[in-house]
Amino acid sequence: MHADSHLDRSITGRLKYAIALTTLTLMAEVVGGIWTNSLALLSDAAHVFLDLFALVLSLAAIKLASYPASDTRTFGWHRAEVFASFINGATVFLMALGIFYEAVGRLMHPEAVKSLPMLLIATLGLVMNLISATALHGHSHDDLNVRSAFLHVVGDAAASVGVIVGGLIIYFTGWYVLDALISIGIGCVIFAGSWRVLREAAHILLEGVPRGMSTRQVADEMAGVEGVNAVHQMNIWTICSHILALSAHVDVKPEYKGRQAEVLRQIEQLLFERYHITHTTLQAECTRCVDGPVIKDLRHRPRHGQSHDDHHHPHAHCTHGPHGHHHGHSH
């Protein structure tokens, strides 16, 4: 626990440092873009804004994880990270559309750009990004959040290189159309990034199975644990970007009735080590559900004027034996 706390403090310090540098870069590129009339600089500023938000979310995720669950929020505030990601993705998606619109106008009617100041500001942005990347690189293998933030900053650096190259060409040739072309290129990168954020956030909010994970494969591996006969009525979902959850009914073989707790602990260990599922709720021996589906069906609560029996699901009742066991655990 002490080691984890020390690591969190170290990561927090690096993230705050990167956020400060990225904020300065954003301000310089916004002011510089307006001053030099460079759409490429303003486009890069929009890209920096997307990544600044990612850095802030990475920092917020550490803070949110420290808030305890409550009677009204049993999962704490972890979902706030996903909600913020969705809003951020939607905002920057609109920014990308605005960049495309302005770039098309400049392709038709090129405007003069102060190429030397544009070049200097883009170089400043590149230096800031490289310093931020250096600060984050040390922890990019310790924490998935930091790795994501590190890759964002590296992407910013690449975009800054594009603006620098464009500034050099414009300075020596006066080919102002290139400013709009660079903007379209950066706009495409922003568009792809924001779409990825939107898609992932929507998938989590819709309780989708974590990407790259197969419910059938997970169920088969759980059923392969010694003492397990079958696994049914399973749900797998994502609470936030780094907390995966699973619930399932586990049919334990009769000869293992007295060791149900041990069997469930082995399943939890498997899920943690193989799939990084840290929040599990396992219900042992559901004898009436043995022939039920692997994925649990959902049903609405009884509607007004209809009895509970009218909506009774054939697998809703589970008759537990003398050792029926409900086991929930969060690592």
Side-chain angles (χ1 to χ4, degrees), residues 29-288:
E29 291 195 340
V30 169
V31 173
I34 295 172
W35 174 40
T36 63
N37 196 34
S38 171
L39 184 60
L41 267 182
L42 289 174
S43 301
D44 195 32
H47 189 232
V48 170
F49 175 77
L50 175 65
D51 296 342
L52 175 62
F53 206 91
L55 286 167
V56 172
L57 277 182
S58 296
L59 182 63
I62 295 174
K63 183 65 176 176
L64 290 172
S66 67
Y67 290 154
S70 66
D71 289 340
T72 55
R73 289 186 176 86
T74 57
F75 282 124
W77 286 87
H78 294 288
R79 273 294 170 93
E81 173 200 340
V82 185
F83 187 61
S85 293
F86 187 86
I87 295 174
N88 178 44
T91 302
V92 182
F93 185 86
L94 294 176
M95 284 185 183
L97 295 180
I99 289 169
F100 289 143
Y101 178 81
E102 183 66 23
V104 169
R106 290 204 179 193
L107 283 175
M108 298 173 64
H109 306 286
E111 297 182 14
V113 176
K114 297 176 181 176
S115 55
L116 186 58
M118 166 190 171
L119 182 62
L120 294 174
I121 293 168
T123 302
L124 174 65
L126 175 61
V127 171
M128 293 287 195
N129 286 324
L130 291 177
I131 294 173
S132 297
T134 302
L136 294 173
H137 183 262
H139 287 303
S140 62
H141 301 293
D142 299 327
D143 186 276
L144 291 174
N145 237 345
V146 178
R147 178 168 177 77
S148 174
F150 169 74
L151 293 175
H152 277 295
V153 172
V154 170
D156 281 338
S160 294
V161 170
V163 177
I164 290 170
V165 172
L168 283 170
I169 295 174
I170 292 172
Y171 179 75
F172 288 108
T173 67
W175 190 35
Y176 297 124
V177 172
L178 187 59
D179 183 67
L181 293 175
I182 293 171
S183 302
I184 291 174
I186 296 175
C188 289
V189 174
I190 297 171
F191 189 85
S194 61
W195 176 252
R196 188 167 56 250
V197 170
L198 276 173
R199 184 185 62 188
E200 188 62 30
H203 185 73
I204 293 174
L205 290 173
L206 292 172
E207 307 287 0
V209 175
R211 295 194 182 279
M213 192 176 295
S214 163
T215 53
R216 172 57 64 184
Q217 182 180 355
V218 174
D220 287 345
E221 293 223 26
M222 291 171 64
V225 172
E226 184 180 0
V228 176
N229 184 41
V231 175
H232 304 282
Q233 307 227 6
M234 184 174 70
N235 292 124
I236 310 176
W237 70 101
T238 306
I239 296 173
C240 68
S241 60
H242 304 297
I243 301 179
L244 305 182
L246 176 145
S247 65
H249 290 176
V250 180
D251 180 40
V252 179
K253 294 178 180 178
E255 60 268 29
Y256 283 83
K257 294 285 179 65
R259 297 162 55 192
Q260 283 185 166
E262 180 184 341
V263 172
L264 295 181
R265 276 196 296 271
Q266 290 178 3
I267 294 175
E268 287 178 340
Q269 193 67 22
L270 166 73
L271 294 173
F272 178 70
E273 293 177 353
R274 191 74 56 85
Y275 298 102
H276 306 295
I277 296 175
T278 57
H279 189 91
T280 58
T281 304
L282 304 175
Q283 182 170 310
E285 197 195 11
C286 189
T287 57
R288 290 282 296 279

